[in-house]
Amino acid sequence: MEGSRIDPSSWLALLHAPDIGPVTAAGLLERFGSAQAVLSAGRKAWSEAGLSSAAQQALAQPDAARLATDLAWLESPDHHLIVRDDPRYPQRLRLLEGAPLVLFVVGDPELLALPQLAIVGSRNPTPGGLDNAKAFAESLARAGFVITSGLALGIDAAAHQGALAGGLTLAVCGTGLDRVYPAKHRDLAHAIARQGALVSEFPPGIPPVAANFPRRNRLISGLSLGVLVVEAALQSGSLITARLATSQGREVFAIPGSIHNPLARGCHRLLREGAKLVESAQDILEEIAPLLDLPLSCNAVTDSGGVKPVGDDSPDPEYRQLLDALGHETARIDQLVERTGLAAEAVASMLLILELRGLVSLAPGGQYQRIVGH
């Protein structure tokens, strides 16, 4: 289903109804079949579904002013509403209990389907922490990952900046996307929208209140294959993100530091709790590569968890098809999807495997090219 074919008003009315959180909304969608069917079900059916009087009233008479604000925001061609029924809604997130009913996106919503790694850390990092965040983000972005973070001061901003230098990045926001928080990151947010995407589960008009940021952190980890914590104090929100990642079955990585650096203590605690110690981007690539969600037909991962070599003598026809579609010029993922007929997630994962084998590289502007000799 294309995003333009959905009925956004029904989804938005469901989103704004009081006493209906993501879990309740998911149950209603399963019970009635669609957001539009939920709204047209009527009070008897809503009561039987256990909805409160306030929720029933909101469904019967949606707030016209709030819907008008949301719909006006969606009129921009760069603004998107990705609902739970949309194929662009990321599958890894969809599988989590309490996944957001909808996602608001500024920029390219196709990034949601690409392999993501989160980089988080202190808002008041050391110079070395900033350097590490930028360097890891740039290296991992060049390896084909979308770098996901929270647009906060400090490590988050450095991660976005490093990713922009090497590839693509995605910022998860704790506000509606009609505003930038913190305001000093306005230019950075605009750059991310041009070379990636801004994402929020909060509709336009929602301010930066404290209760929003744990939800933002859960979305950061839920979208990602793994979370790298660069620097964090013992009471850092980054540790919350890391623990959410663990509960979601994601990998957690931490960079060790000096025992005299208070911003290393959070990372050291994570390491004692089972996070993987990393000293280079390669350490992360080696852990993540076997976890990529490749279609079984691709046969890219061996029984022992290693990555099979993929080259001109590869028996896998889909990799050969992808390399042939790439040819000897640069191409974007959407072009390769169109040429091969493969799903965007499969193409993204296959390209990452090909990069790890040294057969393709990421060119400026998020385009891929074959390495000479292959």
Side-chain angles (χ1 to χ4, degrees), residues 17-302:
D19 303 331
I20 298 180
V23 174
T24 300
L28 291 172
L29 291 172
E30 184 174 358
R31 184 185 186 104
F32 295 106
S34 70
Q36 193 167 10
V38 172
L39 258 70
S40 60
R43 289 185 182 272
K44 184 175 184 296
W46 297 332
S47 181
E48 292 173 349
L51 296 187
S52 68
S53 296
Q56 293 183 42
Q57 180 61 27
L59 294 181
Q61 294 182 309
D63 187 327
R66 296 188 75 174
L67 292 185
T69 297
D70 295 347
L71 294 172
W73 183 86
L74 285 169
E75 289 177 359
S76 171
D78 291 332
H79 295 178
H80 308 274
L81 182 71
I82 309 299
V83 305
R84 286 284 298 270
D85 286 353
D86 193 312
R88 296 173 298 177
Y89 193 100
Q91 182 65 12
R92 294 183 65 81
L93 187 62
R94 193 197 308 271
L95 295 174
L96 297 180
E97 183 179 9
L101 179 67
V102 305
L103 297 172
F104 296 86
V105 179
V106 176
D108 185 359
E110 303 297 335
L111 263 66
L112 294 168
L114 305 185
Q116 298 177 43
L117 280 172
I119 298 180
V120 297
S122 173
R123 286 176 168 79
N124 299 289
T126 65
L130 289 174
D131 290 343
N132 282 336
K134 288 180 181 178
F136 271 81
E138 182 172 353
S139 294
L140 292 166
R142 291 191 186 281
F145 288 102
V146 175
I147 301 304
T148 300
S149 197
L151 199 63
L153 299 172
I155 294 299
D156 286 20
H160 289 306
Q161 290 161 355
L164 289 171
L168 304 171
T169 188
L170 188 151
V172 181
C173 302
T175 67
L177 296 183
D178 57 334
R179 63 187 68 198
V180 174
Y181 180 80
K184 69 180 296 183
H185 283 170
R186 185 170 303 277
D187 289 344
L188 177 59
H190 290 167
I192 293 170
R194 290 192 300 270
Q195 195 172 322
L198 304 166
V199 180
S200 179
E201 63 180 286
F202 302 107
I206 298 299
V209 298
N212 292 355
F213 292 94
R215 292 173 62 180
R216 179 205 63 176
N217 294 347
R218 185 172 187 268
L219 187 51
I220 289 172
S221 58
L223 286 167
S224 304
L225 290 160
V227 174
L228 169 65
V229 182
V230 177
E231 280 187 337
L234 288 175
Q235 303 303 317
S236 170
S238 301
L239 299 194
I240 297 174
T241 306
R243 293 191 175 111
L244 288 168
T246 299
S247 70
Q248 294 165 340
R250 307 320 193 224
E251 295 293 321
V252 176
F253 306 95
I255 298 176
S258 167
I259 60 172
H260 304 293
N261 177 8
L263 293 180
R265 292 174 186 167
C267 292
H268 292 168
R269 172 175 287 181
L270 290 175
L271 292 169
R272 289 195 296 272
E273 294 173 350
K276 294 177 172 63
L277 185 152
V278 297
E279 298 175 319
S280 69
Q282 187 61 36
D283 294 333
I284 296 175
L285 294 176
E286 290 173 357
E287 290 287 339
I288 289 292
L291 304 178
L292 291 173
D293 295 328
L294 294 172
L296 293 177
S297 61
C298 291
N299 295 320
V301 181
T302 66

